[in-house]
Amino acid sequence: MSHTDIHAYLAEFDDIPGTRVFTAKRARQGYHLNQFAMSLMKAENRERFKADERAYLDDWAISEEAKLAVLARDYNALLDMGGNIYFLSKLFSTDGIAFAEAVSTMTDMSWPEYRQMMLEGGRSPEGVRSIREGR
Amino acid sequence: MARITAGVGSSHVPLLGVAHDQGKERDDYFGPIFAGYDWTREWEKREKPDVVILVYNDHASAFDMKIIPTFAIGCGERYAPADEGWGPRKVPDVIGHPDLAWHIAQSLVLDEFDMTIINEMDVDHGLTVPLSMMFGACEQWPTTVIPLAVNVVTYPPPSGNRCWALGEAIARAVESFPEDLNVQIWGTGGMSHQLQGARAGLINPEWDNRFLDLLEADNDAVRHIPHIEYLRETGSEGIEMVMWLIMRGALGPRVKTLHRHYHVPCSNTAIGHIVLAPD
Ligand SMILES: [Fe+2]
């Protein structure tokens, strides 16, 4: 049996560029945001949300900042506020946009540029494995 | 006596389900992906498994943030495809095998794997996409299925080492089931992909193929890969590959490779597929 030091285990996650690992800290911070997104699994909730997004959001115990980020579909901001991509995916499927297109909005690329990068084999891991080690 | 006759590893990208459901399996984009499953579809027709223990993860479908089981086993009679936000996939309900599932669940707990038992849930693309990949279109799935859901969303997921050991324990449990059953175990998810943040789109074919090599190897080195290596090398969602280790652990020390396939891209993801048999 291995005995992993939880502090060292978690600290390494901050060394990965452009990545938020969904730790307990994020899961706690984003709890209601993620549960809001989860509610969009139900067709009747999707309809209510589409009819008046702001009113629907006001039923949830999430911060004003998070509500504005939902309205703006600012996925990087939502990740920073504890959103998890599998939960947030309920929001982009409600919008009827492809998973990859929503993902592209978190990068510095346009959707056509991102799609082309994927067709060409995706993003290389070179240089984006570790901030500290620059590899 | 029930026996595990083969292990299958496969990506379970939701877009593959869309391609299948919309008849796009042979177009220019999806053709090279599905071609790599033709061998397996023919092989499955000959193998006719009675039960597939299908290791997968739920993607915020049956489980939300309220309850997060690390390892959960489906002991129910049947499972409907989940509505993941665009209506449920129009594929058959998944028929369980409660007798074997409960036998495995009880055996695992006595073997010190403290499983969560599920009697009712819907199953998402993580489970239904691999069924479509391996069996194609059908009125009814040609096998019963025991869903085995693993938390790979909220950290920490189980270690690779623990996944491998769970696989070993599942094999012991299957072998002690008196009925004569042909059982397969599938590990799904991966391969390299990152669905979030500025690093999204990361693909690492060298690492993925080394992982496949390690699955084929006559040793268990692959179980010791730490989470951080999956994250750095294969993207934040590449961690799903730990689920393949449950499959591999269940096959015993030596395996032979029956089939292997790798393709980039499918949406954001690298597609990997392997069929192994205990040797
Ligand atoms: Fe997945």
Coordinates of all heavy atoms in Angstrom, one line a residue, chain B residues 54 76-81 91-96 123 127-128 131 141 143-147:
Chain B
L54 N -18.7 -3.8 -17.5 CA -18.3 -2.6 -18.3 C -17.9 -1.5 -17.4 O -18.7 -0.8 -16.7 CB -19.5 -2.2 -19.2 CG -19.1 -1.4 -20.5 CD1 -20.2 -1.5 -21.5 CD2 -18.6 0.0 -20.2
G76 N -28.7 -3.9 -10.8 CA -30.1 -3.8 -11.2 C -30.4 -4.7 -12.3 O -29.6 -5.3 -12.9
E77 N -31.7 -4.7 -12.7 CA -32.2 -5.6 -13.8 C -32.0 -4.9 -15.1 O -31.7 -5.6 -16.1 CB -33.8 -5.7 -13.6 CG -34.2 -6.4 -12.3 CD -34.1 -8.0 -12.4 OE1 -33.8 -8.5 -13.5 OE2 -34.2 -8.6 -11.4
R78 N -32.1 -3.6 -15.2 CA -32.0 -2.9 -16.5 C -31.7 -1.4 -16.2 O -31.9 -0.8 -15.2 CB -33.2 -3.0 -17.4 CG -34.5 -2.4 -16.8 CD -35.7 -3.0 -17.6 NE -35.6 -2.6 -19.0 CZ -36.0 -3.5 -20.0 NH1 -36.4 -4.7 -19.7 NH2 -35.9 -3.2 -21.2
Y79 N -31.1 -0.8 -17.3 CA -30.7 0.6 -17.2 C -31.0 1.3 -18.5 O -30.7 0.8 -19.6 CB -29.1 0.7 -17.0 CG -28.6 -0.2 -15.9 CD1 -28.2 -1.5 -16.2 CD2 -28.6 0.2 -14.6 CE1 -27.8 -2.4 -15.2 CE2 -28.1 -0.7 -13.6 CZ -27.7 -1.9 -13.9 OH -27.3 -2.8 -12.9
A80 N -31.7 2.5 -18.4 CA -32.1 3.2 -19.6 C -30.9 4.2 -20.0 O -30.2 4.7 -19.1 CB -33.3 4.0 -19.3
P81 N -30.8 4.5 -21.3 CA -29.8 5.5 -21.7 C -30.2 6.9 -21.1 O -31.4 7.3 -21.1 CB -29.9 5.5 -23.2 CG -30.6 4.2 -23.6 CD -31.5 3.9 -22.4
V91 N -30.9 4.0 -28.3 CA -30.3 2.7 -28.3 C -31.0 1.8 -27.3 O -31.7 2.4 -26.4 CB -28.8 2.7 -28.0 CG1 -28.0 3.4 -29.1 CG2 -28.5 3.4 -26.7
P92 N -30.9 0.5 -27.4 CA -31.7 -0.3 -26.5 C -31.3 -0.1 -25.0 O -30.2 0.4 -24.7 CB -31.3 -1.8 -26.9 CG -30.7 -1.6 -28.2 CD -30.1 -0.3 -28.3
D93 N -32.3 -0.4 -24.1 CA -32.0 -0.4 -22.7 C -30.9 -1.4 -22.5 O -30.8 -2.4 -23.2 CB -33.2 -0.8 -21.9 CG -34.1 0.4 -21.6 OD1 -33.9 1.5 -22.2 OD2 -35.1 0.2 -20.9
V94 N -30.1 -1.2 -21.4 CA -29.0 -2.2 -21.1 C -29.6 -3.1 -20.0 O -30.1 -2.7 -19.0 CB -27.8 -1.3 -20.5 CG1 -26.8 -2.3 -20.0 CG2 -27.3 -0.4 -21.6
I95 N -29.5 -4.4 -20.3 CA -30.0 -5.4 -19.4 C -28.9 -5.9 -18.5 O -27.8 -6.3 -18.9 CB -30.6 -6.6 -20.2 CG1 -31.6 -6.2 -21.3 CG2 -31.2 -7.6 -19.3 CD1 -32.8 -5.3 -20.7
G96 N -29.2 -5.8 -17.2 CA -28.2 -6.2 -16.2 C -28.1 -7.7 -16.0 O -28.8 -8.5 -16.7
V123 N -27.7 5.2 -17.7 CA -26.3 5.1 -18.1 C -26.0 6.0 -19.3 O -26.8 6.1 -20.2 CB -26.0 3.6 -18.5 CG1 -25.9 2.8 -17.2 CG2 -26.9 3.0 -19.5
L127 N -21.0 4.4 -21.0 CA -21.4 3.0 -21.1 C -22.0 2.6 -22.5 O -21.7 1.6 -23.0 CB -22.3 2.7 -20.0 CG -22.6 1.2 -19.9 CD1 -22.5 0.7 -18.4 CD2 -24.0 0.8 -20.4
T128 N -22.8 3.5 -23.0 CA -23.5 3.1 -24.3 C -22.7 3.2 -25.5 O -22.9 2.5 -26.5 CB -24.9 3.9 -24.5 OG1 -24.6 5.2 -24.7 CG2 -25.8 3.7 -23.3
L131 N -20.7 0.1 -26.2 CA -21.6 -1.0 -26.7 C -21.9 -0.8 -28.2 O -21.8 -1.8 -28.9 CB -22.9 -1.0 -25.9 CG -22.9 -1.5 -24.5 CD1 -24.2 -1.2 -23.7 CD2 -22.5 -3.0 -24.4
W141 N -29.1 -5.3 -27.2 CA -27.7 -5.6 -27.0 C -27.5 -7.1 -26.9 O -28.3 -7.8 -26.2 CB -27.1 -4.9 -25.8 CG -27.2 -3.5 -25.8 CD1 -27.9 -2.7 -24.9 CD2 -26.6 -2.6 -26.7 NE1 -27.8 -1.3 -25.3 CE2 -27.0 -1.2 -26.4 CE3 -25.8 -2.7 -27.9 CZ2 -26.6 -0.1 -27.1 CZ3 -25.4 -1.6 -28.6 CH2 -25.8 -0.3 -28.2
T143 N -25.7 -9.0 -25.2 CA -25.1 -9.4 -24.0 C -25.8 -8.7 -22.8 O -26.3 -7.6 -23.0 CB -23.6 -9.2 -23.9 OG1 -23.0 -9.6 -22.7 CG2 -23.3 -7.7 -24.0
T144 N -25.7 -9.3 -21.7 CA -26.1 -8.6 -20.5 C -24.8 -7.8 -20.0 O -23.7 -8.1 -20.4 CB -26.5 -9.5 -19.3 OG1 -25.4 -10.4 -19.0 CG2 -27.7 -10.3 -19.7
V145 N -25.1 -6.8 -19.2 CA -24.0 -5.9 -18.8 C -24.0 -5.6 -17.3 O -25.1 -5.4 -16.7 CB -24.2 -4.5 -19.6 CG1 -23.1 -3.5 -19.1 CG2 -24.0 -4.7 -21.1
I146 N -22.9 -5.6 -16.7 CA -22.8 -5.2 -15.3 C -22.0 -3.9 -15.3 O -20.8 -3.9 -15.6 CB -22.0 -6.2 -14.4 CG1 -22.9 -7.5 -14.4 CG2 -21.8 -5.7 -13.0 CD1 -22.2 -8.7 -13.6
P147 N -22.7 -2.7 -15.1 CA -22.0 -1.5 -15.1 C -21.1 -1.3 -13.9 O -21.5 -1.7 -12.8 CB -23.1 -0.4 -15.0 CG -24.4 -1.2 -15.3 CD -24.1 -2.6 -14.9

